[in-house]
Amino acid sequence: MRSTRVPGARRLPHDIPLPAPPEVLRKGPLRAGAFRTALHDPRTAVVVGRLLGTALIVCFLTGVLSHLMQHQPGWLALPSRPVWGYRVTQGVHVAAGIAAVPLLLAKLWVVYPRLYVWPPARSLRHALERLSIAVLVATAVFELATGLINIVQWYPWAFPFVPVHYWIGWVLTGALILHIGVQLPVITEHWSRGPEADPRPVDDATPSRRGLLVALGASVGVVTLATIGQTVSPLAKASPLAPRRPGVGPQRLPVNRTAAQAGVLQPIRDPEWRLTITGPLEVSVSRAELLAMPQHSVWLPIACVEGWSASARWTGVRIRDLMDRVGAPADATLRVFSLEQFSPYSVMEMRREYTRDPLTLLALGINGEPLAEDHGYPARIIAPNRPGVLQTKWVTRMEVLT
């Protein structure tokens, strides 16, 4: 037995004799016994890890739901009720992702001494564990970083965000499951509070595990409160970091993409604008003719993938009335075209669950006023429980698919 203390250095309270064969001696952070604190022990790693794991699982489940709602597969029938469904699930998705940021940073800080384990792989199980950790850390950092950047609608990359974010989420979840499986004995042992398994002395100046968790909880609470107001309207004033706020924007409603940005100002201002609806029959109607049809008002939220949402009173013509006018079958799908041409969502489809819902409108007004140009003038789609990217603005044509 010999001390790992550097000769000539002042003896510190945490220097204790350890077996240290010459082949494993290291300097700096690789020095044996360098991480002697309860904040780097398995119990702390498990406590922080289960919080982070919960946040990541919530993000994954709500993210998959959001993706399916945006890119509905043929085998899946999505309900139009509750009308606030997407508002809640996407708000939870973004809030959980933001809350996961301090949790991930804390988890990495707790376990970073593991990066200095030598040799890098002692067995197949150990190699599998380290590989899962590398993939887990890389994908978690990627998902949270790109998700935060997406919230503010800044895309400094060449790849399409939605599919890449979706599939990396699957890789992250797989790596998380693998990591949990490999670490299950340690997780089981340290899941519940019990006698400390690590008898190593701790410097009195070292923060306690309780102190770390209190600080972590405060951090999660602050970042959540600072942004959740974009979804929970009563908290809007308490959320200075929210990229969008309910009630702020043209006609007291936020806007993601303006008419100028979409390049549709000239066609929507054309006094000869007409909406063409094709099906068994074909009709072409002007905005004045649409206003002359029976008008209906509905109170519906609009919720976007960035996490913000706001409610408004929309007025317009029921989609099912327009489809009946061209003789559409009751189970027909409706394809809607926007004047915006360079967008992945310039063409949208709605199935019967939405087209036959009496709350689904071709909206002509909002909050008692004609639609503003940035909100889709001369006409737009508004439907319950629907992602904002599918609430097509600047509608020019609708086709009944039979």
Side-chain angles (χ1 to χ4, degrees):
M1 301 289 287
R2 63 182 180 181
S3 172
T4 61
R5 182 167 59 91
V6 177
R10 186 167 64 90
R11 186 176 180 86
L12 299 176
H14 60 270
D15 284 310
I16 61 174
L18 288 175
E23 63 271 18
V24 299
L25 281 176
R26 295 289 186 274
K27 295 180 179 180
L30 296 178
R31 176 171 57 85
F35 302 108
R36 294 195 172 279
T37 165
L39 299 187
H40 296 297
D41 68 0
R43 168 65 180 165
T44 305
V46 169
V47 172
V48 177
R50 66 191 184 195
L51 297 174
L52 175 61
T54 300
L56 292 178
I57 291 172
V58 169
C59 277
F60 174 73
L61 295 177
T62 53
V64 169
L65 177 60
S66 176
H67 189 84
L68 292 176
M69 295 188 74
Q70 292 181 58
H71 307 278
Q72 185 176 358
W75 52 266
L76 181 62
L78 295 172
S80 61
R81 307 298 174 94
V83 298
W84 41 262
Y86 188 77
R87 181 181 201 175
V88 171
T89 58
Q90 192 62 14
V92 169
H93 176 75
V94 173
I98 293 174
V101 172
L103 292 173
L104 176 62
L105 294 176
K107 176 67 172 180
L108 292 176
W109 183 83
V110 169
V111 302
Y112 84 91
R114 304 278 298 173
L115 300 176
Y116 302 108
V117 171
W118 195 265
R122 297 189 299 268
S123 64
L124 178 60
R125 178 185 179 279
H126 189 227
L128 184 63
E129 173 192 352
R130 291 182 71 86
L131 176 62
S132 70
I133 291 173
V135 175
L136 179 59
V137 171
T139 53
V141 170
F142 177 87
E143 287 289 270
L144 296 182
T146 56
L148 287 175
I149 294 174
N150 174 68
I151 291 175
V152 296
Q153 295 186 298
W154 176 48
Y155 304 102
W157 49 67
F159 58 83
F161 169 76
V162 172
V164 172
H165 192 73
Y166 174 71
W167 288 113
I168 294 297
W170 280 96
V171 177
L172 168 59
T173 304
L176 178 62
I177 293 173
L178 177 60
H179 178 65
I180 292 174
V182 171
Q183 291 290 336
L184 192 58
V186 177
I187 294 173
T188 302
E189 179 182 358
H190 297 280
W191 184 267
S192 302
R193 184 191 302 272
E196 293 293 339
D198 189 353
R200 296 176 297 182
V202 177
D203 194 331
D204 290 340
T206 302
S208 66
R209 182 185 299 122
R210 184 185 300 275
L212 172 66
L213 295 178
V214 169
L216 181 57
S219 300
V220 171
V222 168
V223 298
T224 301
L225 182 62
T227 55
I228 196 66
Q230 67 174 358
T231 301
V232 184
S233 300
L235 298 178
K237 292 183 178 180
S239 298
L241 300 182
R244 301 286 188 278
R245 298 188 187 185
V248 177
Q251 298 176 307
R252 303 172 299 284
L253 196 68
V255 172
N256 266 6
R257 190 167 177 83
T258 66
Q261 291 171 331
V264 298
L265 284 176
Q266 182 176 350
I268 66 176
R269 291 174 178 175
D270 184 353
E272 301 299 322
W273 174 91
R274 298 183 73 84
L275 171 67
T276 301
I277 310 170
T278 61
L281 303 175
E282 180 174 326
V283 298
S284 177
V285 291
S286 66
R287 179 176 165 87
E289 291 171 327
L290 288 170
L291 288 170
M293 296 177 64
Q295 301 292 297
H296 300 272
S297 293
V298 297
W299 182 265
L300 286 178
I302 184 167
C304 285
V305 295
E306 296 85 6
W308 70 264
S309 60
S311 295
R313 180 164 295 280
W314 307 86
T315 303
V317 182
R318 286 176 177 168
I319 290 295
R320 69 181 188 184
D321 294 343
L322 294 172
M323 294 182 68
D324 290 341
R325 186 165 179 172
V326 297
D331 60 348
T333 295
L334 185 67
R335 181 176 292 163
V336 181
F337 296 81
S338 172
L339 285 166
E340 181 182 11
Q341 298 180 4
F342 304 104
S343 167
Y345 300 100
S346 59
V347 180
M348 175 273 291
E349 292 185 2
M350 287 192 297
R351 299 187 190 174
R352 67 176 307 276
E353 290 80 14
Y354 292 100
T355 60
R356 291 296 164 179
D357 192 304
L359 297 181
T360 303
L361 302 180
L362 179 70
L364 306 172
I366 179 175
N367 293 328
E369 304 171 357
L371 278 175
E373 292 176 340
D374 290 342
H375 284 310
Y377 178 89
R380 70 167 299 162
I381 298 294
I382 188 68
N385 193 28
R386 189 93 161 145
V389 291
L390 302 182
Q391 310 279 35
T392 306
K393 298 194 287 187
W394 312 299
V395 175
T396 182
R397 189 168 84 256
M398 297 194 297
E399 295 179 358
V400 175
L401 306 179
T402 56

